[in-house]
Amino acid sequence: MNKGQFIAQIALSILLIVIGVRDHDVPIIIIAAASMILDIVGWWWQSRTKRQ
């Protein structure tokens, strides 16, 4: 995953969280936060394994 795609996914997750908070829609907040965390962990793991 390149850096631009990673930034776009994080921005989309933040946008979904903002929409969920505004509409008081808890499932959207939970799903967006979980996907953002998985994106960050996946990107970190990928960059860590590439160095070795």
Side-chain angles (χ1 to χ4, degrees):
M1 176 176 5
N2 63 15
K3 204 173 232 180
Q5 184 183 9
F6 175 70
I7 291 169
Q9 284 181 333
I10 297 299
L12 183 62
S13 296
I14 291 170
L15 183 67
L16 282 173
I17 290 172
V18 168
I19 290 170
V21 167
R22 194 181 62 202
D23 294 340
H24 304 291
D25 201 356
V26 175
I28 290 179
I29 298 169
I30 293 171
I31 292 168
S35 69
M36 189 165 57
I37 291 168
L38 286 173
D39 284 339
I40 291 170
V41 169
W43 178 76
W44 171 78
W45 184 259
Q46 194 177 40
S47 66
R48 185 171 171 257
T49 55
K50 276 184 183 176
R51 280 189 231 133
Q52 293 176 349

